[in-house]
Amino acid sequence: TVPLIACGGARDAADLGLIGYSIERLNYLIAYMRESHRVVLNYPGIGNGRRSVEEVVPLLERLDVRVVVCYR
């Protein structure tokens, strides 16, 4: 069962708690992947999410080493 998580409106800044939760869940899923596999992730929360890189970096540091975060 996938939990339903209410997201804010388009004018709200990205929810850092939701980003943190998503990182935890992604790490859980990655634990079942082969070591050679990688996950590519767009930088969460910035741009339309209206968060700064400095706000999101501490959360991203918890990501599994097999996750590649793209930032342009």
Side-chain angles (χ1 to χ4, degrees):
T1 303
V2 177
L4 178 61
I5 300 173
C7 297
R11 295 184 200 148
D12 295 336
D15 183 338
L16 295 175
L18 181 56
I19 294 172
Y21 174 78
S22 299
I23 288 170
E24 289 176 19
R25 301 308 303 160
L26 181 58
N27 284 339
Y28 175 79
L29 293 172
I30 289 172
Y32 294 98
M33 291 174 36
R34 293 181 182 173
E35 288 293 321
S36 62
H37 289 149
R38 299 286 179 260
V39 174
V40 179
L41 178 70
N42 286 333
Y43 211 109
I46 62 171
N48 288 337
R50 300 188 185 154
R51 293 290 181 177
S52 69
V53 171
E54 292 78 18
E55 289 177 289
V56 180
V57 164
L59 300 172
L60 298 180
E61 290 173 348
R62 300 187 313 214
L63 279 168
D64 187 283
V65 296
R66 293 173 283 178
V67 177
V68 176
V69 179
C70 297
Y71 176 74
R72 184 168 85 158

Coordinates of all heavy atoms in Angstrom, one line a residue:
T1 N 0.8 -1.2 0.0 CA 0.0 0.0 0.0 C 0.9 1.2 0.0 O 1.8 1.3 0.8 CB -0.9 0.0 1.2 OG1 -1.7 -1.2 1.3 CG2 -1.8 1.2 1.2
V2 N 0.6 2.2 -0.9 CA 1.3 3.4 -1.0 C 0.6 4.5 -0.2 O -0.6 4.7 -0.4 CB 1.5 3.8 -2.4 CG1 2.2 5.2 -2.5 CG2 2.2 2.8 -3.2
P3 N 1.3 5.1 0.8 CA 0.6 6.2 1.6 C 0.3 7.4 0.7 O 1.0 7.7 -0.2 CB 1.5 6.5 2.7 CG 2.9 6.1 2.1 CD 2.6 5.0 1.2
L4 N -0.9 8.0 0.9 CA -1.3 9.2 0.2 C -0.7 10.4 1.1 O -1.0 10.5 2.2 CB -2.8 9.3 0.1 CG -3.3 10.6 -0.6 CD1 -2.8 10.7 -2.0 CD2 -4.8 10.6 -0.5
I5 N 0.1 11.2 0.4 CA 0.7 12.3 1.1 C 0.2 13.6 0.4 O 0.4 13.8 -0.8 CB 2.2 12.3 1.1 CG1 2.7 11.0 1.8 CG2 2.9 13.5 1.7 CD1 4.2 10.7 1.6
A6 N -0.4 14.5 1.2 CA -0.9 15.7 0.6 C 0.2 16.7 0.4 O 1.1 16.9 1.3 CB -2.0 16.3 1.6
C7 N 0.3 17.2 -0.8 CA 1.3 18.2 -1.1 C 0.7 19.6 -1.1 O -0.5 19.7 -1.4 CB 1.9 17.9 -2.5 SG 2.7 16.3 -2.6
G8 N 1.6 20.5 -0.8 CA 1.1 21.9 -0.8 C 0.8 22.4 -2.2 O 1.0 21.7 -3.2
G9 N 0.2 23.6 -2.3 CA -0.1 24.2 -3.5 C 1.1 24.7 -4.3 O 2.2 24.6 -3.8
A10 N 0.9 25.1 -5.5 CA 2.0 25.6 -6.4 C 2.7 26.8 -5.8 O 3.9 27.0 -6.1 CB 1.5 25.9 -7.7
R11 N 2.1 27.5 -4.9 CA 2.8 28.7 -4.3 C 3.6 28.4 -3.1 O 4.3 29.2 -2.6 CB 1.7 29.8 -4.0 CG 1.0 30.3 -5.2 CD 0.1 31.4 -4.9 NE -0.8 31.5 -6.0 CZ -2.1 31.9 -5.9 NH1 -2.6 32.2 -4.7 NH2 -2.9 32.0 -6.9
D12 N 3.4 27.2 -2.5 CA 4.1 26.8 -1.3 C 5.5 26.3 -1.6 O 5.7 25.8 -2.6 CB 3.3 25.7 -0.6 CG 2.0 26.1 -0.1 OD1 1.8 27.3 0.1 OD2 1.1 25.2 0.1
A13 N 6.4 26.6 -0.7 CA 7.8 26.1 -0.8 C 7.7 24.6 -0.6 O 6.8 24.0 0.1 CB 8.7 26.7 0.2
A14 N 8.7 23.9 -1.1 CA 8.8 22.4 -1.0 C 8.9 22.1 0.5 O 9.5 22.7 1.3 CB 10.0 21.9 -1.7
D15 N 8.2 21.0 0.9 CA 8.2 20.5 2.3 C 9.5 19.7 2.5 O 9.6 18.6 2.0 CB 6.9 19.7 2.5 CG 6.8 19.2 3.9 OD1 7.7 19.2 4.7 OD2 5.6 18.8 4.2
L16 N 10.3 20.3 3.4 CA 11.6 19.6 3.7 C 11.3 18.3 4.4 O 12.1 17.3 4.2 CB 12.5 20.5 4.5 CG 13.0 21.8 3.8 CD1 13.8 22.6 4.8 CD2 13.8 21.4 2.6
G17 N 10.3 18.2 5.2 CA 9.9 16.9 5.8 C 9.6 15.8 4.8 O 10.0 14.7 5.0
L18 N 8.9 16.2 3.8 CA 8.5 15.3 2.7 C 9.7 14.9 1.9 O 9.8 13.7 1.6 CB 7.4 15.9 1.8 CG 6.9 15.0 0.7 CD1 6.4 13.7 1.2 CD2 5.9 15.8 -0.1
I19 N 10.6 15.8 1.7 CA 11.9 15.4 1.0 C 12.6 14.4 1.8 O 13.1 13.4 1.3 CB 12.7 16.7 0.7 CG1 12.0 17.5 -0.4 CG2 14.1 16.3 0.1 CD1 12.6 18.9 -0.6
G20 N 12.8 14.7 3.1 CA 13.5 13.8 4.0 C 12.8 12.4 4.1 O 13.5 11.4 4.0
Y21 N 11.5 12.4 4.1 CA 10.8 11.1 4.1 C 11.0 10.3 2.8 O 11.2 9.1 2.8 CB 9.3 11.3 4.3 CG 8.4 10.1 4.2 CD1 8.4 9.2 5.2 CD2 7.7 9.8 3.0 CE1 7.6 8.0 5.1 CE2 7.0 8.7 2.9 CZ 6.9 7.8 3.9 OH 6.2 6.6 3.8
S22 N 11.0 11.1 1.7 CA 11.2 10.4 0.4 C 12.6 9.8 0.3 O 12.8 8.8 -0.3 CB 11.0 11.5 -0.7 OG 9.7 12.0 -0.7
I23 N 13.6 10.5 0.9 CA 15.0 10.0 0.9 C 15.0 8.7 1.7 O 15.7 7.7 1.3 CB 15.9 11.1 1.5 CG1 16.1 12.2 0.4 CG2 17.3 10.5 1.9 CD1 16.9 13.4 0.9
E24 N 14.4 8.7 2.9 CA 14.3 7.4 3.7 C 13.7 6.3 2.9 O 14.3 5.2 2.9 CB 13.5 7.7 4.9 CG 14.1 8.6 6.0 CD 13.2 8.8 7.1 OE1 12.2 8.0 7.3 OE2 13.4 9.8 7.8
R25 N 12.6 6.5 2.2 CA 12.0 5.5 1.4 C 12.8 5.0 0.2 O 12.9 3.9 -0.1 CB 10.6 6.0 0.9 CG 9.6 6.4 2.0 CD 9.5 5.3 3.1 NE 9.0 4.1 2.6 CZ 9.1 2.9 3.2 NH1 9.7 2.8 4.4 NH2 8.7 1.8 2.6
L26 N 13.5 6.0 -0.4 CA 14.4 5.6 -1.6 C 15.5 4.8 -1.1 O 15.9 3.8 -1.7 CB 14.9 6.9 -2.2 CG 15.8 6.7 -3.4 CD1 15.1 5.9 -4.5 CD2 16.2 8.1 -4.0
N27 N 16.1 5.2 0.1 CA 17.2 4.3 0.6 C 16.7 2.9 0.9 O 17.4 2.0 0.7 CB 17.8 5.0 1.9 CG 18.7 6.2 1.6 OD1 19.2 6.3 0.5 ND2 18.8 7.0 2.5
Y28 N 15.5 2.8 1.4 CA 14.9 1.5 1.7 C 14.8 0.7 0.5 O 15.2 -0.5 0.4 CB 13.6 1.7 2.4 CG 12.8 0.4 2.6 CD1 13.2 -0.4 3.7 CD2 11.8 -0.1 1.8 CE1 12.5 -1.6 3.9 CE2 11.2 -1.2 2.0 CZ 11.5 -2.0 3.1 OH 10.8 -3.2 3.3
L29 N 14.3 1.3 -0.6 CA 14.2 0.5 -1.9 C 15.6 0.2 -2.5 O 15.7 -0.9 -3.0 CB 13.4 1.4 -2.9 CG 11.9 1.6 -2.5 CD1 11.3 2.6 -3.5 CD2 11.2 0.3 -2.6
I30 N 16.5 1.1 -2.4 CA 17.8 0.8 -2.9 C 18.5 -0.3 -2.2 O 19.3 -1.0 -2.8 CB 18.7 2.1 -2.8 CG1 18.1 3.1 -3.8 CG2 20.1 1.9 -3.1 CD1 18.7 4.5 -3.7
A31 N 18.2 -0.5 -1.0 CA 18.8 -1.6 -0.2 C 18.6 -3.0 -0.9 O 19.4 -3.9 -0.7 CB 18.3 -1.6 1.2
Y32 N 17.6 -3.1 -1.7 CA 17.3 -4.4 -2.4 C 17.9 -4.4 -3.8 O 17.7 -5.4 -4.5 CB 15.8 -4.6 -2.4 CG 15.2 -4.8 -1.0 CD1 14.6 -3.7 -0.3 CD2 15.3 -6.0 -0.4 CE1 14.2 -3.9 1.0 CE2 14.8 -6.2 0.9 CZ 14.2 -5.1 1.6 OH 13.8 -5.3 2.8
M33 N 18.5 -3.4 -4.2 CA 19.1 -3.4 -5.5 C 20.5 -3.9 -5.5 O 21.2 -4.0 -4.5 CB 19.2 -1.9 -6.1 CG 17.9 -1.3 -6.3 SD 18.0 0.5 -6.8 CE 19.5 0.6 -7.7
R34 N 21.0 -4.3 -6.7 CA 22.3 -4.8 -6.9 C 23.3 -3.6 -6.6 O 23.0 -2.5 -7.0 CB 22.6 -5.4 -8.3 CG 21.8 -6.6 -8.5 CD 22.1 -7.1 -9.9 NE 21.3 -8.3 -10.1 CZ 21.2 -9.0 -11.2 NH1 21.9 -8.5 -12.3 NH2 20.5 -10.0 -11.4
E35 N 24.5 -3.9 -6.2 CA 25.5 -2.9 -5.9 C 25.9 -2.1 -7.1 O 26.2 -0.9 -7.1 CB 26.7 -3.5 -5.3 CG 26.5 -3.9 -3.8 CD 26.3 -2.8 -2.9 OE1 26.9 -1.7 -3.0 OE2 25.5 -2.9 -2.0
S36 N 25.8 -2.7 -8.3 CA 26.2 -2.1 -9.5 C 25.1 -1.1 -10.1 O 25.4 -0.3 -11.0 CB 26.5 -3.1 -10.6 OG 25.4 -3.9 -10.9
H37 N 23.9 -1.2 -9.6 CA 22.9 -0.3 -10.1 C 23.0 1.1 -9.5 O 23.4 1.3 -8.3 CB 21.5 -0.9 -9.8 CG 21.2 -2.1 -10.6 ND1 20.4 -3.1 -10.2 CD2 21.6 -2.4 -11.9 CE1 20.3 -4.0 -11.1 NE2 21.0 -3.6 -12.2
R38 N 22.5 2.1 -10.2 CA 22.5 3.5 -9.7 C 21.1 4.1 -9.9 O 20.3 3.6 -10.8 CB 23.5 4.3 -10.5 CG 24.9 3.9 -10.5 CD 25.5 4.2 -9.1 NE 26.9 3.8 -9.0 CZ 27.3 2.7 -8.3 NH1 26.4 1.9 -7.8 NH2 28.5 2.3 -8.2
V39 N 20.8 5.1 -9.1 CA 19.6 5.8 -9.3 C 20.0 7.3 -9.6 O 20.8 7.8 -8.9 CB 18.7 5.8 -8.0 CG1 17.5 6.7 -8.1 CG2 18.3 4.4 -7.7
V40 N 19.4 7.9 -10.6 CA 19.6 9.2 -11.0 C 18.4 10.1 -10.5 O 17.3 9.7 -10.9 CB 19.9 9.4 -12.5 CG1 20.1 10.9 -12.8 CG2 21.1 8.6 -12.9
L41 N 18.6 11.1 -9.8 CA 17.6 11.9 -9.2 C 17.8 13.4 -9.5 O 18.9 13.9 -9.3 CB 17.6 11.7 -7.7 CG 16.7 12.4 -6.8 CD1 15.2 11.9 -7.0 CD2 17.1 12.2 -5.3
N42 N 16.7 14.0 -9.9 CA 16.8 15.5 -10.1 C 16.9 16.1 -8.7 O 16.4 15.6 -7.7 CB 15.5 16.0 -10.7 CG 15.5 15.7 -12.2 OD1 16.5 15.6 -12.8 ND2 14.3 15.7 -12.7
Y43 N 17.6 17.2 -8.6 CA 17.8 17.9 -7.3 C 16.4 18.3 -6.7 O 15.7 19.1 -7.3 CB 18.6 19.1 -7.5 CG 19.5 19.5 -6.3 CD1 20.9 19.3 -6.3 CD2 18.9 20.0 -5.2 CE1 21.6 19.6 -5.3 CE2 19.7 20.3 -4.1 CZ 21.0 20.1 -4.1 OH 21.8 20.4 -3.0
P44 N 16.0 17.7 -5.6 CA 14.7 18.0 -5.1 C 14.6 19.3 -4.4 O 15.5 19.8 -3.8 CB 14.5 16.8 -4.1 CG 15.8 16.5 -3.6 CD 16.7 16.8 -4.8
G45 N 13.4 19.9 -4.5 CA 13.1 21.1 -3.7 C 13.5 22.5 -4.3 O 13.1 23.5 -3.8
I46 N 14.4 22.5 -5.2 CA 14.9 23.8 -5.7 C 14.1 24.2 -7.0 O 13.2 23.4 -7.5 CB 16.4 23.8 -6.0 CG1 16.7 22.7 -7.1 CG2 17.2 23.5 -4.8 CD1 18.2 22.8 -7.6
G47 N 14.3 25.3 -7.5 CA 13.5 25.7 -8.7 C 12.1 26.0 -8.3 O 11.8 26.9 -7.4
N48 N 11.1 25.3 -8.8 CA 9.7 25.5 -8.5 C 9.4 25.2 -7.0 O 8.4 25.7 -6.5 CB 8.8 24.7 -9.4 CG 8.7 25.2 -10.8 OD1 9.0 26.4 -11.0 ND2 8.4 24.4 -11.7
G49 N 10.3 24.4 -6.4 CA 10.1 24.1 -5.0 C 10.5 25.2 -4.1 O 10.3 25.2 -2.9
R50 N 11.1 26.3 -4.6 CA 11.5 27.5 -3.9 C 12.4 27.3 -2.7 O 12.3 28.0 -1.7 CB 10.2 28.2 -3.5 CG 9.4 28.6 -4.7 CD 8.3 29.5 -4.3 NE 7.5 29.7 -5.5 CZ 6.2 30.0 -5.5 NH1 5.6 30.2 -4.4 NH2 5.6 30.2 -6.6
R51 N 13.2 26.2 -2.7 CA 14.1 26.0 -1.6 C 15.5 26.3 -2.1 O 15.8 26.1 -3.3 CB 14.0 24.6 -1.1 CG 12.8 24.2 -0.4 CD 12.7 24.9 0.9 NE 11.5 24.6 1.7 CZ 11.2 25.0 2.9 NH1 12.0 25.8 3.5 NH2 10.1 24.7 3.4
S52 N 16.4 26.7 -1.3 CA 17.8 26.9 -1.7 C 18.6 25.6 -1.6 O 18.2 24.6 -0.8 CB 18.5 27.9 -0.8 OG 18.6 27.4 0.5
V53 N 19.7 25.5 -2.3 CA 20.5 24.3 -2.3 C 21.0 24.1 -0.8 O 21.0 23.0 -0.3 CB 21.7 24.5 -3.2 CG1 22.8 23.4 -3.0 CG2 21.2 24.5 -4.7
E54 N 21.3 25.2 -0.1 CA 21.8 25.1 1.3 C 20.8 24.5 2.2 O 21.1 23.8 3.2 CB 22.2 26.5 1.8 CG 23.4 27.1 1.1 CD 23.1 27.7 -0.3 OE1 21.9 27.9 -0.6 OE2 24.1 27.9 -1.0
E55 N 19.5 24.6 1.9 CA 18.5 24.0 2.7 C 18.3 22.5 2.5 O 18.0 21.8 3.4 CB 17.1 24.7 2.5 CG 17.0 26.1 2.9 CD 15.6 26.7 2.6 OE1 15.4 27.0 1.4 OE2 14.8 26.9 3.5
V56 N 18.6 22.1 1.3 CA 18.3 20.7 0.9 C 19.6 19.8 1.1 O 19.4 18.6 1.3 CB 17.8 20.7 -0.6 CG1 17.6 19.3 -1.0 CG2 16.6 21.5 -0.7
V57 N 20.8 20.4 1.0 CA 22.0 19.6 1.1 C 22.0 18.7 2.3 O 22.4 17.5 2.2 CB 23.3 20.5 1.0 CG1 24.5 19.8 1.5 CG2 23.5 21.0 -0.4
P58 N 21.7 19.2 3.5 CA 21.8 18.3 4.7 C 20.9 17.0 4.5 O 21.3 16.0 5.0 CB 21.3 19.2 5.8 CG 21.5 20.5 5.4 CD 21.3 20.5 3.9
L59 N 19.8 17.2 3.8 CA 18.9 16.0 3.6 C 19.6 15.0 2.6 O 19.5 13.8 2.8 CB 17.6 16.5 3.1 CG 16.8 17.4 4.0 CD1 15.5 17.9 3.3 CD2 16.4 16.7 5.3
L60 N 20.2 15.6 1.6 CA 20.8 14.8 0.5 C 22.0 14.0 1.0 O 22.3 12.9 0.5 CB 21.2 15.6 -0.7 CG 20.0 16.3 -1.4 CD1 20.6 17.2 -2.6 CD2 19.0 15.4 -1.9
E61 N 22.6 14.5 2.1 CA 23.8 13.8 2.6 C 23.4 12.4 3.2 O 24.3 11.6 3.4 CB 24.5 14.6 3.7 CG 25.2 15.8 3.0 CD 25.7 16.8 4.0 OE1 25.4 16.7 5.2 OE2 26.5 17.7 3.6
R62 N 22.1 12.2 3.4 CA 21.7 10.9 3.9 C 21.4 9.9 2.8 O 21.1 8.7 3.1 CB 20.4 11.1 4.8 CG 20.6 12.0 6.0 CD 19.4 12.1 6.9 NE 18.2 12.3 6.1 CZ 17.1 13.0 6.6 NH1 17.2 13.5 7.8 NH2 16.0 13.1 5.9
L63 N 21.5 10.3 1.6 CA 21.2 9.4 0.5 C 22.3 8.3 0.4 O 23.5 8.5 0.6 CB 21.2 10.2 -0.9 CG 19.9 10.9 -1.2 CD1 20.1 11.8 -2.4 CD2 18.8 9.9 -1.5
D64 N 21.9 7.2 -0.1 CA 22.8 6.0 -0.4 C 23.8 6.5 -1.4 O 23.4 7.3 -2.3 CB 21.9 4.9 -1.0 CG 22.7 3.6 -1.1 OD1 23.5 3.6 -2.1 OD2 22.6 2.7 -0.3
V65 N 25.0 6.0 -1.4 CA 26.0 6.4 -2.3 C 25.7 6.0 -3.8 O 26.3 6.6 -4.7 CB 27.4 5.8 -1.9 CG1 27.8 6.4 -0.6 CG2 27.4 4.3 -1.9
R66 N 24.8 5.2 -4.0 CA 24.4 4.8 -5.4 C 23.4 5.8 -6.0 O 23.0 5.6 -7.2 CB 23.8 3.4 -5.4 CG 24.8 2.3 -5.0 CD 24.2 1.0 -4.8 NE 23.5 0.9 -3.5 CZ 22.8 -0.1 -3.1 NH1 22.7 -1.1 -3.8 NH2 22.3 -0.1 -1.9
V67 N 23.1 6.8 -5.3 CA 22.2 7.8 -5.9 C 23.0 9.0 -6.4 O 23.9 9.5 -5.7 CB 21.2 8.4 -4.8 CG1 20.3 9.5 -5.4 CG2 20.3 7.3 -4.2
V68 N 22.8 9.3 -7.7 CA 23.4 10.4 -8.3 C 22.4 11.6 -8.4 O 21.3 11.4 -9.0 CB 23.9 10.0 -9.7 CG1 24.5 11.2 -10.4 CG2 24.9 8.9 -9.7
V69 N 22.7 12.7 -7.8 CA 21.8 13.8 -7.8 C 22.2 14.8 -8.9 O 23.4 15.2 -8.9 CB 21.7 14.6 -6.5 CG1 20.8 15.7 -6.5 CG2 21.3 13.6 -5.4
C70 N 21.3 15.1 -9.8 CA 21.7 16.0 -10.9 C 21.3 17.5 -10.6 O 20.2 17.7 -10.1 CB 20.9 15.6 -12.2 SG 21.4 14.0 -12.8
Y71 N 22.2 18.4 -10.9 CA 21.9 19.8 -10.6 C 22.5 20.5 -11.8 O 23.6 20.3 -12.2 CB 22.6 20.2 -9.3 CG 22.5 21.7 -9.1 CD1 21.3 22.3 -8.7 CD2 23.6 22.5 -9.2 CE1 21.2 23.6 -8.4 CE2 23.5 23.9 -8.9 CZ 22.3 24.4 -8.5 OH 22.2 25.8 -8.3
R72 N 21.8 21.5 -12.3 CA 22.2 22.2 -13.5 C 22.4 23.6 -13.2 O 21.8 24.3 -12.4 CB 21.2 22.0 -14.6 CG 21.6 22.7 -15.9 CD 20.7 22.3 -17.0 NE 19.5 23.1 -17.1 CZ 18.8 23.2 -18.2 NH1 19.2 22.6 -19.2 NH2 17.8 24.0 -18.2

